[in-house]
Amino acid sequence: MQQPIDIVRLTDLRPINSARADMDAIFYETAPRAPADPTARATFYDLWLGQYLRHEPELAHVAVSQGRVIGYLVGCHANPATSPRFASLAYFQTFARACGSYPAHLHINLTTVARGSGTGARLIEACVADVAAARLPGVHVVTSAAARNVGFYARNGFIEIDGTDRSGGPVVLLGRSIG
């Protein structure tokens, strides 16, 4: 029998430190290109997880089973094409026009055991509810054009809006309209 999985805001969990430790472990488990150099590794972590927890912790949702975080979604309502926080991600200048219609964005990571259980879809819906409550027109995610997660996002209402090449290969901006 599968254990129940609850989707909750990170800020509603107590103690929050063990949840953060679980999130960090999931982050590194799912980040195959995390740098080995400690300084570069810290910068990588901050870009893709840390800054979201620091600036918008109320937008972080976690999937919890048996007291452990098994997945998370962090988001931001600031348009990354105009926010200095995301200036190091040059592709956002290419996507600037599209980001106007899909300004909110998200990052989602699940443990292997949580994949295929509907947990990711539930995390997406929690994020979409936040974006709708903020009265924003849409949410986006950027991923590799060849990644298997493109199908996951399509099943969750995202469509390809734009694409570009970067050093690691082609990336796509997938967007979901709100309302």
Side-chain angles (χ1 to χ4, degrees), residues 49-106:
L49 179 58
Q51 70 166 317
Y52 296 92
L53 298 175
R54 201 170 48 257
H55 293 288
E56 295 94 9
E58 71 282 359
L59 299 179
H61 296 275
V62 293
V64 180
S65 179
Q66 296 183 307
R68 299 297 307 250
V69 173
I70 60 169
Y72 67 83
L73 181 148
V74 291
C76 179
H77 289 171
N79 182 336
T82 58
S83 173
R85 283 177 41 200
F86 304 98
S88 66
L89 298 170
Y91 54 74
F92 279 123
Q93 293 316 302
T94 303
F95 298 150
R97 185 179 176 111
C99 286
S101 297
Y102 304 90
H105 62 279
L106 63 89

Side-chain angles (χ1 to χ4, degrees), residues 13-163:
L13 287 180
R14 297 292 177 260
I16 202 166
N17 290 341
S18 64
R20 291 282 307 268
D22 288 346
M23 293 172 73
D24 290 355
I26 294 166
F27 174 78
Y28 286 115
E29 171 190 323
T30 60
R33 296 189 316 243
D37 171 72
T39 302
R41 189 173 176 89
T43 300
F44 179 81
Y45 173 87
D46 194 60
L47 181 62
W48 301 111
L49 179 58
Q51 70 166 317
Y52 296 92
L53 298 175
R54 201 170 48 257
H55 293 288
E56 295 94 9
E58 71 282 359
L59 299 179
H61 296 275
V62 293
V64 180
S65 179
Q66 296 183 307
R68 299 297 307 250
V69 173
I70 60 169
Y72 67 83
L73 181 148
V74 291
C76 179
H77 289 171
N79 182 336
T82 58
S83 173
R85 283 177 41 200
F86 304 98
S88 66
L89 298 170
Y91 54 74
F92 279 123
Q93 293 316 302
T94 303
F95 298 150
R97 185 179 176 111
C99 286
S101 297
Y102 304 90
H105 62 279
L106 63 89
H107 296 281
I108 184 171
N109 284 308
L110 303 172
T111 61
T112 304
V113 298
R115 294 181 192 146
S117 67
T119 301
R122 292 173 61 205
L123 286 166
I124 295 278
E125 291 310 312
C127 172
V128 166
D130 287 342
V131 174
R135 299 185 189 272
L136 296 172
V139 59
H140 75 267
V141 63
V142 177
T143 191
S144 167
R148 71 170 191 249
N149 65 3
V150 172
F152 162 76
Y153 289 116
R155 289 188 300 278
N156 285 281
F158 288 77
I159 59 171
E160 186 172 333
I161 305 300
D162 204 349

